[in-house]
Amino acid sequence: MQSPRTISVLKFMTLERHIMEGELQHPGATGEFSGLLHGLSLAAKLVWREVTKAGLVNILGTTERTNMSGDIVKKLDEFADETIFKAMDHGGHLCVMASEENEDLLHIPDHYQFGKYVLIYDPLDGSGNIDANVTVGTIFSVHKRVTQSGKGTLKDVLQPGYSQVAAGYILFGSSMMFVYCTGHGVHGFTLDPTVGEFLLSHENITIPSRGSIYSMNQGNFNRWSPEMQRYVQYLQQEDKATGRPYSLRYVGTLVADVHRTLLYGGIYCYPGDTKNPEGKLRLMYENNPLGFIVEHAGGAASDGSRRILDIAPTSLHQRTPLFIGSKEDVSLAQQFLAGKK
Ligand code: F6P
Ligand code: MN
């Protein structure tokens, strides 16, 4: 006789249910916020569908133009950019959007309702890695509007990172993951493609207070300040007591490098250099949302001297240096950069 099947996983927590249960904890919640995150998870699945087809269809390859930050725009960037906008423009949750791929604000079409939230996103981070089948991702940041009604404005978008009400990212890697935080822990969900649902796989992610991995484009070494160079040389020195030398890992997709740092600890750095004094990464689309996530997991994010989330933004595509990861590692980097070590 066959023995009855045992179900080893007793609790399935879908992303939808997690978001809804989170919102129910806030008295007076309208469900708008759940709707917004739901829209993002749908957009993520649509982008994933195309990303997994890369190489099979004629969607790979570069277009003629370069984006605001000088990167070559791949066709999948455009697809992701448009898909996220289209998935989010009609829900009535948003008053305005901004995307790394667009110079100006993205306005909600007049025939749709305007909501109380603002969405800022990097549609396809690390797109230079697509042709090599290496992890890419989408990064998002949500603020509450500061203007009262109607179309959202630049003022609604240019808010400091500490006022984000949610942030997250979606990783298109060996599996697809949705990681988000609304201020109550950082939670990761993995897509089960057979049922099309994100299932809770990483509950309450916390970053180790110190790690043993550093992540940076060391090819830029000769463009760095003497303080930065000294910091890296320190990480490479042999010292058992402090776990050195650190290992170097660099995917070249920010969101993938930060995801690994979140899970394993250590530090990701994109410092300013003689070519790009403010580094390469964008405050609104990359540094703020990832800073929010990493801080809520117990880590830190700095531009070398200031907390990333405290920086008052002055323009949509502004860049800042980024030092992000384990608290003790970021603090040590700051000390080196200040010449105190
Ligand atoms: O979005 C910018 C980006 O593609 C990041 O994802 C990545 O970490 C970085 O650029 C890589 O820059 P570099 O090629 O200078 O190391
Ligand atoms: Mn990016």
Side-chain angles (χ1 to χ4, degrees):
M1 205 175 97
Q2 268 189 331
S3 60
R5 257 190 212 181
T6 50
I7 296 176
S8 55
V9 179
L10 293 176
K11 184 179 154 199
F12 292 107
M13 175 62 86
T14 63
L15 175 62
E16 309 288 301
R17 192 172 130 205
H18 198 267
I19 292 168
M20 250 167 44
E21 288 187 4
E23 188 157 33
L24 285 175
Q25 282 167 12
H26 293 90
T30 57
E32 249 181 272
F33 196 61
S34 298
L36 194 166
L37 290 174
H38 173 75
L40 276 171
S41 76
L42 172 67
K45 288 176 200 169
L46 295 171
V47 174
W48 172 245
R49 194 177 62 185
E50 293 309 307
V51 168
T52 56
K53 279 196 282 187
L56 288 175
V57 290
N58 193 22
I59 201 162
L60 271 181
T62 57
T63 58
E64 294 301 303
R65 61 189 185 85
T66 52
N67 75 2
M68 287 306 302
S69 308
D71 299 333
I72 295 173
V73 177
K74 305 267 175 170
K75 283 182 183 173
L76 268 172
D77 297 47
E78 293 175 5
F79 177 84
D81 188 32
E82 285 167 23
T83 301
I84 295 168
F85 181 78
K86 289 265 165 57
M88 303 305 297
D89 69 350
H90 57 280
H93 319 302
L94 298 174
C95 64
V96 69
M97 290 185 248
S99 153
E100 194 200 294
E101 294 296 333
N102 294 273
E103 182 174 0
D104 298 319
L105 293 179
L106 296 173
H107 285 290
I108 304 297
D110 284 334
H111 51 280
Y112 295 136
Q113 278 189 346
F114 302 115
K116 62 176 179 227
Y117 293 107
V118 176
L119 176 67
I120 304 167
Y121 62 95
D122 179 353
L124 212 57
D125 179 56
S127 53
N129 274 329
I130 291 169
D131 288 352
N133 200 3
V134 171
T135 299
V136 291
T138 296
I139 309 172
F140 65 89
S141 156
V142 181
H143 287 272
K144 257 194 185 141
R145 69 182 304 166
V146 289
T147 57
Q148 291 307 307
S149 57
K151 258 187 202 311
T153 67
L154 199 56
K155 207 171 152 196
D156 294 307
V157 176
L158 292 184
Q159 299 189 55
Y162 65 73
S163 69
Q164 289 169 108
V165 292
Y169 56 82
I170 300 125
L171 273 186
F172 307 111
S174 46
S175 59
M176 168 155 68
M177 275 196 79
F178 191 108
V179 177
Y180 87 109
C181 173
T182 58
H184 307 282
V186 176
H187 308 288
F189 297 76
T190 304
L191 185 80
D192 180 338
T194 60
V195 289
E197 289 277 7
F198 285 105
L199 300 174
L200 183 60
S201 52
H202 297 64
E203 192 170 14
N204 235 332
I205 300 172
T206 53
I207 182 169
S209 58
R210 191 161 169 274
S212 55
I213 299 174
Y214 73 107
S215 188
M216 55 186 70
N217 185 342
Q218 214 161 286
N220 292 329
F221 186 89
N222 289 322
R223 294 178 179 154
W224 290 340
S225 68
E227 290 80 9
M228 181 66 201
Q229 292 179 340
R230 229 179 4 255
Y231 172 56
V232 178
Q233 281 160 347
Y234 169 86
L235 296 177
Q236 295 169 343
Q237 281 158 11
E238 185 93 37
D239 179 50
K240 249 200 179 129
T242 52
R244 287 177 292 146
Y246 277 29
S247 292
L248 170 63
R249 297 283 182 275
Y250 191 70
V251 177
T253 295
L254 169 69
V255 65
D257 281 313
V258 169
H259 180 67
R260 183 202 53 249
T261 305
L262 191 64
L263 297 183
Y264 299 166
I267 188 164
Y268 173 95
C269 310
Y270 209 110
D273 58 40
T274 50
K275 189 172 164 221
N276 299 305
E278 295 303 315
K280 186 179 179 190
L281 305 172
R282 299 77 170 166
L283 178 62
M284 306 305 293
Y285 310 100
E286 298 173 315
N287 302 351
N288 271 342
L290 295 176
F292 185 84
I293 290 277
V294 168
E295 275 201 9
H296 277 278
S302 161
D303 74 346
S305 60
R306 290 172 298 176
R307 180 185 177 219
I308 286 288
L309 301 188
D310 281 340
I311 298 173
T314 51
S315 69
L316 272 183
H317 292 276
Q318 142 181 21
R319 300 165 196 253
T320 71
L322 180 66
F323 298 82
I324 189 168
S326 294
K327 232 180 199 160
E328 289 176 28
D329 285 300
V330 173
S331 161
L332 188 67
Q334 280 183 321
Q335 290 173 47
F336 268 95
L337 294 171
K340 291 181 188 152
K341 283 261 180 191

